[in-house]
Amino acid sequence: MRISFDLDDTLIAKKRFPLEKESFVAKLLGAERLRLGTITLFKALRSKGHQIGVYTTSYRSKTKIKRMFWAYGLSVDYVVNQQLHERTLGKRSKSISKYPPAFEIDLHIDDSLGVEREGELYGFNTVIVAMDDLQWIDKILERVER
Ligand SMILES: [Mg+2]
């Protein structure tokens, strides 16, 4: 399965949820801190053969995003940032914040209820995880298993 993750308030937040311990390399690169559990989750998904990527409405560059994960020993297979979203969807990018099917994504993970609503409206699969959800990994893995 091809799975994508939102960044802000899903995998990255400033002191809003417990964070992964900052690696030496991450500190060196000034990489953003990842949500606690991200490493375990990515490894579990990888071991099951899933493809992992990022779908964000931010303008962070693809290189910066890839490097941030790399700093924690993780890799992402693809990055959809706001630039690519706009380039791919054209005019439609204004009326829909995310459209995973355009990038052959099977399941998108996000914190936004707006994205959940778009999924219902436009027919794509989402898992919405709240920032205070400490069982967020289990919620995602359970859904992926189904
Ligand atoms: Mg978000």
Side-chain angles (χ1 to χ4, degrees), residues 61-126:
S61 76
K62 192 173 160 177
T63 312
K64 188 181 174 197
I65 292 170
K66 288 205 158 192
R67 197 173 48 201
M68 177 182 84
F69 284 97
W70 176 81
Y72 287 89
L74 303 173
S75 64
V76 288
D77 301 307
Y78 59 95
V79 172
V80 180
N81 57 12
Q82 186 62 18
Q83 294 92 313
L84 182 59
H85 170 82
E86 287 172 8
R87 216 182 313 132
T88 307
L89 293 178
K91 261 193 195 150
R92 255 194 108 193
S93 69
K94 303 257 181 293
S95 54
I96 183 164
S97 71
K98 284 175 185 167
Y99 188 60
F103 306 94
E104 288 165 354
I105 294 163
D106 304 298
L107 181 66
H108 175 69
I109 322 297
D110 211 291
D111 67 294
S112 160
L113 295 174
V115 170
E116 181 175 47
R117 235 169 290 129
E118 287 181 332
E120 287 161 5
L121 211 55
Y122 300 109
F124 60 84
N125 297 314
T126 59

Side-chain angles (χ1 to χ4, degrees), residues 6-12 57 98 110-112 115:
D6 169 49
L7 288 182
D8 292 302
D9 299 333
T10 299
L11 293 184
I12 294 172
T57 52
K98 284 175 185 167
D110 211 291
D111 67 294
S112 160
V115 170

